Amino acid sequence: MPESLLMYFVSFIASCLAIGILYPLSVRIGLVDIPRGRKQHQGAVPLIGGIATYCGLAIAMLWFADGAIEPLYYLTCAGVIVILGAFDDYLDLSVKLRLAVQTLIGLAMTFSLDLHLASLGNLFGFGQVELGPLGLPITLLAVIATINAFNMTDGIDGLAGMLSLVSFSSIAIFMSLWGQQHYAVMALVIVLAMLPYLACNLHVIPARRIFLGDAGSMLIGLSVIWLLIIGTQSESASFRPVTALWIIAIPLMDMIAIMVRRIRKGQSPFQADREHLHHISLRLGLSSRESLALITALACIFACFGIIGEYLLIPEGVMLTLFLLLFAGYLYLLQHIWRIISHIRRKRLQHSRPKVVK
């Protein structure tokens, strides 16, 4: 059996075993999500999806690391973010503390493995846009933004997991085709480690319903930005920086849109509410599964557009302009969605009224 297939098998089985061990333990220690306030699920649900995923990928990567130092750095940073998320699930930590730890992890990435954003690509057709001294702060901003973007998508069953599958699969495709096969295996190991959680979360295994938790959503965000930086900034980069925007389009656009809306209302950009895309789709009458299918389909369409743009080498300035236009349309739609729906309903009501014959 090829080593990569064995890694996938180990990560999947280890994640399954971790769920079996952690499920009763989480109930005993109270690491469960209790429905209250914005949370409308039934019963106390263990918050172990992210921890189990980390266990699966860590065992697989350590088993086949062969003394390589890079997997150890990744697993250390990922372990810290999982611990942070687990404590946040359990104690509801302050925003400042979460951001401080995320910043430290970004610094560790940069100074341990020299993982940072050095260039934004040839966005304007005049050569590479080099960041120079701005590389570090922009890298930290990207790390924090991606971690929190995926964290904010974790609002209905399976959404953060499915969106991450779209991102990891897209990254794996690029890296497999253009010379970074080792990192493509890493992306797929994470996917296989996540599948047992998704099976439990989406009721494929109803007796073991679990949630991803902040530990999982933050782990996903860190892993995505880690691979995006490797895929766009290393000497053997397999895709252009602008393509990364399309790979994480839905989480990124939803996070920025919701923060803009909160700031306009005079609220903290990190204040929780029910105005995310998945909340809006539910209020439009879609079920949780229908909302999941719709949003995942949109993410697939955007990722496929990025893949096609990369394959055809569509100029980076064009890809960026199209993304900004997409985001502008997305922002406008979310800001005016209820006015549009109210208008449509009035039109339907007018057409449904019987005409009076004089």
Side-chain angles (χ1 to χ4, degrees), residues 53-64:
T53 298
Y54 178 77
C55 290
L57 68 91
I59 290 171
M61 292 180 70
L62 288 174
W63 195 332
F64 298 93

Side-chain angles (χ1 to χ4, degrees), residues 41-59:
H41 60 273
Q42 295 182 349
V45 181
L47 292 160
I48 58 170
I51 302 173
T53 298
Y54 178 77
C55 290
L57 68 91
I59 290 171

Side-chain angles (χ1 to χ4, degrees), residues 207-224:
R208 282 287 187 269
R209 189 187 184 199
I210 62 176
F211 284 166
L212 186 62
D214 288 342
S217 57
M218 285 198 253
L219 170 64
I220 287 171
L222 175 66
S223 302
V224 168

Side-chain angles (χ1 to χ4, degrees), residues 20-300:
I21 295 170
L22 292 169
Y23 193 91
L25 180 61
S26 65
V27 175
R28 193 174 306 140
I29 67 175
L31 185 58
V32 294
D33 197 5
I34 300 172
R36 58 176 177 264
R38 296 176 298 110
K39 301 175 181 179
Q40 300 176 357
H41 60 273
Q42 295 182 349
V45 181
L47 292 160
I48 58 170
I51 302 173
T53 298
Y54 178 77
C55 290
L57 68 91
I59 290 171
M61 292 180 70
L62 288 174
W63 195 332
F64 298 93
D66 292 330
I69 197 68
E70 188 172 357
L72 297 179
Y73 278 120
Y74 164 73
L75 290 174
T76 300
C77 291
V80 173
I81 205 74
V82 167
I83 292 171
L84 172 68
F87 273 104
D88 190 33
D89 288 328
Y90 195 71
L91 301 173
D92 194 17
L93 302 176
S94 69
V95 172
K96 290 182 180 179
L97 178 58
R98 295 201 306 268
L99 292 178
V101 176
Q102 291 167 10
T103 301
L104 290 175
I105 291 172
L107 289 170
M109 286 174 56
T110 301
F111 290 107
S112 63
L113 295 172
D114 198 28
L115 281 178
H116 67 282
L117 294 171
S119 169
L120 297 181
N122 185 15
L123 291 177
F124 307 109
F126 303 112
Q128 297 291 312
V129 179
E130 302 293 342
L131 294 176
L134 294 176
L136 177 58
I138 291 178
T139 300
L140 295 179
L141 180 62
V143 170
I144 293 170
T146 308
I147 290 173
N148 287 285
F150 279 93
N151 181 247
M152 289 180 179
T153 63
D154 189 26
I156 58 175
D157 285 348
L159 183 57
M162 292 302 294
L163 291 178
S164 71
L165 291 189
V166 173
S167 297
F168 286 129
S169 299
S170 301
I171 292 169
I173 289 171
F174 284 127
M175 291 179 163
S176 297
L177 293 176
W178 289 296
Q180 292 184 306
Q181 288 83 2
H182 175 70
Y183 294 110
V185 170
M186 176 181 170
L188 293 177
V189 164
I190 299 172
V191 168
L192 268 293
M194 199 182 305
L195 289 182
Y197 144 71
L198 278 171
C200 295
N201 185 243
L202 294 175
H203 312 287
V204 177
I205 308 176
R208 282 287 187 269
R209 189 187 184 199
I210 62 176
F211 284 166
L212 186 62
D214 288 342
S217 57
M218 285 198 253
L219 170 64
I220 287 171
L222 175 66
S223 302
V224 168
I225 191 62
W226 191 289
L227 289 169
L228 287 179
I229 292 175
I230 291 172
T232 61
Q233 303 295 315
S234 64
E235 292 182 1
S236 57
S238 51
F239 53 100
R240 300 170 297 179
V242 70
T243 304
L245 298 176
W246 294 93
I247 292 175
I248 59 171
I250 290 289
L252 183 62
M253 292 192 301
D254 190 56
M255 179 193 68
I256 296 175
I258 201 71
M259 285 188 165
V260 168
R261 190 182 311 156
R262 288 170 185 170
I263 292 171
R264 283 183 171 180
K265 292 180 179 179
Q267 301 171 344
S268 166
F270 294 97
Q271 179 177 322
D273 57 29
R274 295 184 61 81
E275 297 295 330
H276 289 283
L277 178 60
H278 51 273
H279 293 132
I280 292 174
S281 63
L282 291 173
R283 287 160 62 189
L284 289 175
L286 297 179
S287 68
S288 177
R289 288 297 178 91
E290 290 169 342
S291 299
L292 174 64
L294 173 64
I295 297 171
T296 303
L298 288 174
C300 288

Side-chain angles (χ1 to χ4, degrees), residues 1-18:
M1 180 183 293
E3 185 175 286
S4 58
L5 292 180
L6 193 56
M7 282 187 71
Y8 303 151
F9 177 77
V10 169
S11 65
F12 180 82
I13 296 300
S15 183
C16 289
L17 293 174

